């Protein structure tokens, strides 16, 4: 899934709860993940040595020169077909 696919999917999910426009969702995605022109909130936090934890999703971390994602239990179980 690329950025436009993510924006479209999030817009569909947000519509279930009253809705956001795809333009609004795009701005949020860019603010969280960044763009070619600027870092997002996750990248900025990692650069400052922080770990970014999103309950149920997982945590982004930067250690020993490597940046990665440790999936949360709920995400891992969903992706592996154990729930939902």
């Amino acid at each position: 899934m690329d950025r436009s696919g993510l924006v479209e999917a999030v817009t569909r999910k947000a519509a279930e709860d009253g809705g956001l426009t795809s333009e609004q969702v795009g701005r949020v995605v860019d603010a969280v993940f960044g763009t070619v022109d600027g870092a997002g909130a996750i990248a900025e936090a990692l650069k400052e040595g922080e770990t970014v934890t999103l309950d149920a999703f997982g945590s982004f971390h930067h250690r020993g020169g490597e940046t990665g994602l440790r999936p949360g239990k709920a995400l891992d179980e969903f992706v592996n077909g154990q729930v939902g």
Side-chain angles (χ1 to χ4, degrees):
M1 176 183 293
D2 62 9
R3 180 193 177 277
S4 62
L6 178 61
V7 169
E8 182 180 317
V10 172
T11 301
R12 277 195 313 272
K13 293 293 279 184
E16 297 170 4
D17 296 323
L20 296 171
T21 68
S22 58
E23 182 180 318
Q24 291 169 319
V25 171
R27 287 196 310 261
V28 171
V29 167
D30 291 347
V32 172
F33 296 103
T35 66
V36 172
D37 297 322
I42 292 174
E44 289 172 348
L46 294 174
K47 188 172 183 178
E48 295 297 319
E50 296 179 50
T51 296
V52 177
T53 302
L54 306 170
D55 290 339
F57 183 79
S59 62
F60 295 90
H61 57 275
H62 182 80
R63 291 188 195 108
E66 297 288 325
T67 303
L69 166 69
R70 177 175 295 132
K73 182 179 180 190
L75 174 63
D76 197 43
E77 288 176 352
F78 179 80
V79 170
N80 289 308
Q82 298 167 331
V83 294

